[in-house]
Amino acid sequence: MAIKMFSFLLGSVLLSLVGASDLESIQVQVLHELNEALQTELNVFIDFEGFDDSQILHQLDTPRILLSSNSSAARDLRVRGNFTERALIIVSLMESGRDVNQLVLRLLPRMLDELHELHIVFLATEESRFSQDDLYAYCFKEGFVNVILLRGKSLYSYLPYPRIQPMSLTNVSEYFNRARIIRDFQGYPVRILRSAMTPRDFEYFNDQGDLVRAGYLFAAVKELANRYNATIISVAKPVLPDYEVYLAISDMLRTKRIDIVCYFKEFSIKVAYTAPLSIVREYFIAPHARPISSYLYYSKPFSWTLWVVVISTVLYGTLMLHLAARQARVEIGKCLLYSLSHILYNCHQTISVAGWRDMAIHGILTIGGFILTNVYLATLSSILTSGLYDGEYNTLEDLVSAPYPSLHDEYYKSQLLAKTFLPERLRRNSLTLNVSLLNAYRDGLNQSYIYMLYEDRLELILMQQYLLKTPRFNMIRQGVGYALESYCVSMSLPYLELTSEFMRRLQEHGIGIKMKADTFRELIQQEIYTLMRDDEPPAKAFDLDYYLFAFALWAAGLGLSLLVFCAEFVGRRLLCR
């Protein structure tokens, strides 16, 4: 009897060993096929303690690393930054009764931070007691959609859309075919925050009274939903003060109450985001320089260097005329008047010509006077047509002396104050205003303030000046902030990689540029923004100030000449006595 019992136990052990060997062979084959297809550079084995003699660890050529979910050191490791991102995650669930929920919720989400779409293989025996539905539910909650469950000799996975559906696989090829299937969302809802951020995402009522949602960032998300058969659900923005609403939206993304926000990823906001496409810069815009009084136009056509040339030419002509007419004893004062008359091109005086030198002097002065007179008149005419202005604000240092405060909401003012590289006076000279008034002043180009915006919104606002003869605002071409051209998304978004790939294709094929141009045209057509026009008549070359100053100069000249005449007349009468 004892011999029979021993034979029975020995047979059971041998059968179990043969079964275990066959099971490991299947597992090795599956992992090998995955490594070949995915071109894996690293296999991350989790909870394989006690499997040192396993074929899985020794028959795979791909480099491997062993981690334990119970190790505190493993909880601090990240695939991104610690290991290669071309990794395959293999999790052992061999022991019956293992707490799968704690494993998925605590270890994997932290280790696969920003890489939750990596492929994960769960290894389990047929006797393992856990619910596949619970495993799939936790995986989808954490964004793990590329999941294989190898339970015994059978392969399983799940379809995430429109709801979690377990599926059985006959081989690894069916798993890769599944990747094509899950690109169809089958009406799965994509929750997008409703905002009023022109031109990115905004709403308006059209001519038929229908509420229309538009914006070039929203148009891209809408195209994504149409392409992958998803349903867009608009989520209302929280009704909170200006500063708190940013924090609330960030919390909604972290707690997965919304999926996508049509807003660029700022470095100060700690949320997940799609793959960046470019860097968006932030600039100041300042009011255009104020026009100067028209009575100053007379002195503006020539710069100081040209005035030096004029004075030098007059002195040269005076000296040459005096030296040439030395035998005729012409006074130097008369030579100065003759030289001025030539420069002003109104010469009516005659000087005795002694030879070719005198003719050359007169020719040089006449030609110089002709050129200078016409240059002066042409420049003055151009100035009268276009106007003259004070110095422009071209740098951040120029803004320090500007008489305008900068206007922001509370959130962006706090960001401005934190930018220590800006001049301190510029940071202090800032005001806060509620969003409604801020948008009204900024969109209307109110010239009482300076504004700070990202370049896509600045492009829209400054586009309103297209028809103006003189712009109202100029951009300071020195970046004061940066953001990533990407979408803010919820933590562990299951279709993050798909969204990043789609947005990259839109940009590479120029569709994003077309969407932005269509949005700008739509804003103009709906009169949300307008092309501004000049208030004054189109032709206004002269004004009263200009003529009054000219008459004042004329009267001053006549008065001065009258005084000189009276002084000479009285002086001669006194000498005659």
Side-chain angles (χ1 to χ4, degrees), residues 416-557:
L416 176 69
L417 296 177
K419 296 174 180 177
T420 55
F421 63 89
L422 293 176
E424 183 178 358
R425 184 177 174 184
L426 177 61
R427 285 182 284 139
R428 290 201 313 264
N429 190 22
S430 57
L431 301 175
T432 58
L433 202 62
N434 65 74
V435 175
S436 300
L437 283 177
L438 173 61
N439 290 335
Y441 288 165
R442 188 169 54 198
D443 295 346
L445 294 178
N446 188 313
Q447 294 178 287
S448 301
Y449 303 98
I450 298 171
Y451 308 102
M452 183 180 69
L453 278 172
Y454 287 106
E455 53 188 329
D456 65 322
R457 302 191 69 194
L458 285 182
E459 183 181 354
L460 170 65
I461 292 175
L462 298 181
M463 184 189 65
Q464 300 177 96
Q465 306 178 138
Y466 182 75
L467 299 179
L468 294 180
K469 181 178 65 177
T470 303
R472 295 189 180 184
F473 274 80
N474 292 325
M475 183 186 298
I476 309 300
R477 296 287 179 178
Q478 290 179 286
V480 296
Y482 302 91
L484 298 178
E485 187 182 355
S486 57
Y487 291 80
C488 297
V489 298
S490 64
M491 297 292 294
S492 305
L493 187 70
Y495 44 89
L496 176 61
E497 184 178 356
L498 184 144
T499 304
S500 299
E501 174 191 354
F502 185 82
M503 297 308 170
R504 186 182 66 254
R505 292 205 308 268
L506 289 184
Q507 187 190 60
E508 291 175 349
H509 292 82
I511 300 175
I513 299 175
K514 178 65 166 54
M515 288 179 173
K516 183 182 293 187
D518 291 344
T519 300
F520 284 9
R521 184 173 61 253
E522 187 176 6
L523 287 167
I524 296 298
Q525 289 176 348
Q526 296 299 325
E527 298 183 353
I528 300 175
Y529 287 82
T530 59
L531 293 178
M532 300 178 176
R533 299 179 183 273
D534 293 305
D535 297 331
E536 67 271 9
K540 186 182 178 183
F542 306 98
D543 58 8
L544 185 59
D545 291 341
Y546 173 77
Y547 285 112
L548 289 177
F549 188 71
F551 289 141
L553 288 178
W554 177 67

Side-chain angles (χ1 to χ4, degrees), residues 276-330:
L277 302 175
S278 65
I279 294 178
V280 182
R281 294 172 176 82
E282 191 176 26
Y283 298 101
F284 274 109
I285 56 173
H288 190 271
R290 295 175 177 176
I292 66 174
S293 300
S294 58
Y295 63 82
L296 297 176
Y297 287 0
Y298 293 95
S299 61
K300 294 300 181 180
F302 291 165
S303 61
W304 69 270
T305 54
L306 196 53
W307 282 115
V308 170
V309 172
V310 173
I311 295 172
S312 302
T313 304
V314 172
L315 295 178
Y316 166 80
T318 301
L319 182 60
M320 291 299 102
L321 287 174
H322 181 67
L323 294 177
R326 185 169 47 188
Q327 295 180 354
R329 296 182 180 180
V330 179

